[in-house]
Amino acid sequence: MGLVYPFPSLKTSVAAKEIRLENCLGKTVLVVGSGGREHAIVDALSRSPQVSKIYCAPGNAGIGEKAFNLALKDTDVEGLKAFALENKVDLTVVGPEASLAAGIVDAFRQEGLAIFGHTKAATAIESSKEFAKELMAKYDIPTAAYCSFSDFEEAVAYVSARPFPAVLKYDGLAAGKGVVIAQDLDEARRALADMLLDKSFGDGRVVVEDFLTGPEFSFLCFVDGERVYPMPLSQDHKRAFDGDKGPNTGGMGAYTGLPFITEEDRRFAYEEILCKTAKAMVSEGLPLSGVLYGGLMKTPQGIKVIEFNARFGDPETEVVLPLLKSDIYDIFEGVAMGNPVKEPLWDDGVTLGVVLASKGYPGAYEKGFDILGLEALDAKVYHMGTGIRDGRFFTSGGRVLMIVSGGKDLADAREKVYREIEKLSCENLYYRKDIAHIAFE
Ligand code: AMP
Ligand code: GLY
């Protein structure tokens, strides 16, 4: 399958980084971001025969094996732009939404620098829930019925007349706490008072929408205006513990090869949701030029949009990009320059990835524990929150590592990934044992 690469030892990978540097004719790429998602992007770029040098800002300890990490924040637009100009960066690839929302794409394009990512204005498809809902209503893109409010009494009147549970979404940055699923009117009143009267998150509006049911999944596409290149579908596991129990996290694992999605479902989602949305954004004068991530749900009434993101998902990217057989540089460059891209080719196997998190995450946790055995793993290893001292990795974040295996089917990939994880030793990590459980029920 060509999916599983042994994790390179520090020594070999530093040597590999140097050898690639001798190929001066190759392209220089700057990746912006610091998580497992950016590690997967750097890894995919490192497989491109055209790419000779990769910088990552700020990167992380694992990324440092394949790229040169820079001491620049992902939102330091001026610093990143100056670096790209000075170092003759051929192409910049943006991971986080915060960088897009800070206007990195607009600033780079003004200088004539090639960059993969959406303009600040187009990023509204993720940063404003109201913008996304209005777009879907206007262009007949399937999503939950909704109404948005700035007035508390009007919001309460609307929610009282709708079925429960009700979904209340603060329309702005809320550090992942802006969505409340209210089971009854009392709970809805309290949440609305918190958002609209006490303004706990700021002065934003609230979108109130109907509660939908069904399995959620992620559909990521590379988008350049009306050109939409689909990636394999994936599913994230947001809860901390087995059986989808416990608090919400940034994602505890993901897999491709979704057993509950038919080819007809996929075609519908591609044509009626992703392509239609790309076209709608062009009609609105806000063409997309990066990744459009549909957070979708397969409801009894068909596939509907829960949310859009304007970037690669994390941890979805870590299971999707290892399947890419085409040269990712061609895709990034084509989209960044507005040129058509050859339809990307994907391996027809599947992938399954498990996140190793610090005990206590997503609450308080300790850091600084050595991670032993990484070099012996026969799997892809993406770093999310690690540090390095004396040539040895240690835990330095909530989500620490993601281990990904490929296989001919999910049972095969699952068996491999959990077998490899057993080889690691670190006293302060935990992980879910049931990634892709829906496939085995
Ligand atoms: P969002 O930030 O919009 O992705 O919402 C966070 C999570 O809340 C989603 O991943 C869903 O699990 C849940 N959610 C959001 N909207 C709905 C809805 N209309 N019906 C059911 N669950 C929802
Ligand atoms: N996997 C969820 C996200 O990237 O937002």
Side-chain angles (χ1 to χ4, degrees):
M1 290 233 318
L3 274 183
V4 176
Y5 303 85
F7 186 69
S9 74
L10 267 181
K11 226 164 141 195
T12 24
S13 60
V14 169
K17 194 159 79 174
E18 302 288 325
I19 288 161
R20 295 176 70 84
L21 279 180
E22 285 167 18
N23 175 9
C24 298
L25 297 173
K27 305 287 187 186
T28 298
V29 186
L30 167 62
V31 176
V32 178
S34 63
R37 165 180 61 195
E38 286 74 20
H39 198 174
I41 293 170
V42 165
D43 180 42
L45 280 165
S46 77
R47 297 199 292 276
S48 165
Q50 305 175 65
V51 174
S52 58
K53 193 172 195 176
I54 308 173
Y55 292 107
C56 193
N60 67 34
I63 289 174
E65 294 204 309
K66 286 193 169 150
F68 294 89
N69 289 332
L70 305 175
L72 285 169
K73 277 203 194 140
D74 56 16
T75 49
D76 179 2
V77 173
E78 286 308 308
L80 291 164
K81 191 173 76 181
F83 180 87
L85 285 168
E86 257 166 51
N87 293 277
K88 303 200 169 21
V89 168
D90 293 294
L91 175 70
T92 298
V93 179
V94 185
E97 188 218 352
S99 316
L100 300 171
I104 190 170
V105 171
D106 311 67
F108 272 53
R109 288 197 183 144
Q110 261 169 23
E111 294 290 342
L113 289 165
I115 184 161
F116 176 88
H118 309 296
T119 60
K120 182 175 177 173
T123 303
I125 197 156
E126 170 166 1
S127 56
S128 167
K129 296 201 186 277
E130 191 174 13
F131 172 85
K133 292 299 278 192
E134 275 176 6
L135 187 86
M136 288 186 269
K138 181 168 172 188
Y139 293 91
D140 199 21
I141 295 160
T143 188
Y146 83 103
C147 215
S148 60
F149 301 92
S150 53
D151 183 78
F152 171 71
E153 292 302 339
E154 283 176 23
V156 171
Y158 175 82
V159 90
S160 315
R162 303 293 307 175
F164 280 94
V167 183
L168 315 172
K169 298 183 175 180
Y170 176 74
D171 189 30
L173 293 178
K177 298 196 171 79
V179 177
V180 172
I181 306 213
Q183 299 300 328
D184 54 35
L185 188 55
D186 265 2
E187 200 181 336
R189 265 185 167 279
R190 276 198 304 276
L192 287 169
D194 185 39
M195 292 178 190
L196 290 172
L197 298 178
D198 302 342
K199 301 189 189 300
S200 297
F201 302 118
D203 206 9
R205 292 161 67 82
V206 173
V207 170
V208 180
E209 67 178 43
D210 287 357
F211 180 77
L212 303 177
T213 54
E216 287 181 63
F217 62 102
S218 307
F219 197 165
L220 280 62
C221 295
F222 298 103
V223 182
D224 165 25
E226 293 192 15
R227 289 189 277 264
V228 180
Y229 308 98
M231 302 186 220
L233 301 179
S234 56
Q235 192 184 38
D236 178 9
H237 292 54
K238 292 200 169 110
R239 300 300 190 107
F241 308 131
D242 285 5
D244 295 320
K245 303 234 163 51
N248 257 321
T249 70
M252 294 298 290
Y255 67 101
T256 62
L258 310 186
F260 56 92
I261 297 292
T262 63
E263 188 43 41
E264 175 59 18
D265 291 334
R266 205 194 76 90
R267 194 200 52 75
F268 177 86
Y270 176 69
E271 287 172 7
E272 300 298 322
I273 296 179
L274 277 303
C275 291
K276 232 173 168 180
T277 302
K279 216 168 166 184
M281 290 295 278
V282 171
S283 304
E284 293 296 307
L286 300 169
L288 295 168
S289 59
V291 171
L292 177 62
Y293 163 145
L296 311 181
M297 187 184 269
K298 182 171 174 170
T299 78
Q301 290 76 40
I303 295 180
K304 301 199 179 190
V305 178
I306 294 289
E307 63 163 350
F308 282 118
N309 292 319
R311 51 170 175 81
F312 280 107
D314 195 346
E316 290 94 329
T317 307
E318 293 92 311
V319 290
V320 167
L321 289 187
L323 291 167
L324 182 62
K325 292 201 289 190
S326 306
D327 183 338
I328 202 166
Y329 186 86
D330 285 337
I331 304 172
F332 285 150
E333 185 190 52
V335 171
M337 305 305 284
N339 296 327
V341 170
K342 253 205 280 166
E343 193 62 37
L345 298 175
W346 302 91
D347 195 294
D348 54 16
V350 303
T351 44
L352 192 150
V354 178
V355 170
L356 311 185
S358 294
K359 286 180 187 162
Y361 170 82
Y365 56 84
E366 288 177 58
K367 307 180 196 180
F369 295 87
D370 282 339
I371 309 164
L372 303 177
L374 275 174
E375 13 5 278
L377 290 204
D378 184 14
K380 286 222 168 258
V381 177
Y382 295 122
H383 290 239
M384 301 174 123
T386 60
I388 190 162
R389 68 185 161 218
D390 305 328
R392 189 181 280 179
F393 291 111
F394 63 90
T395 65
S396 75
R399 292 188 301 162
V400 175
L401 294 165
M402 182 154 176
I403 314 297
V404 179
S405 284
K408 62 180 189 312
D409 56 28
L410 285 171
D412 183 29
R414 179 175 68 159
E415 198 271 317
K416 280 186 196 153
V417 82
Y418 285 112
R419 188 185 59 211
E420 293 305 312
I421 289 172
E422 286 291 303
K423 295 181 186 167
L424 284 178
S425 131
C426 178
E427 56 182 283
N428 199 48
L429 292 178
Y430 83 97
Y431 58 92
R432 279 183 61 162
K433 313 280 189 308
D434 68 341
I435 300 304
H437 59 84
I438 206 167
F440 303 102
E441 281 159 359

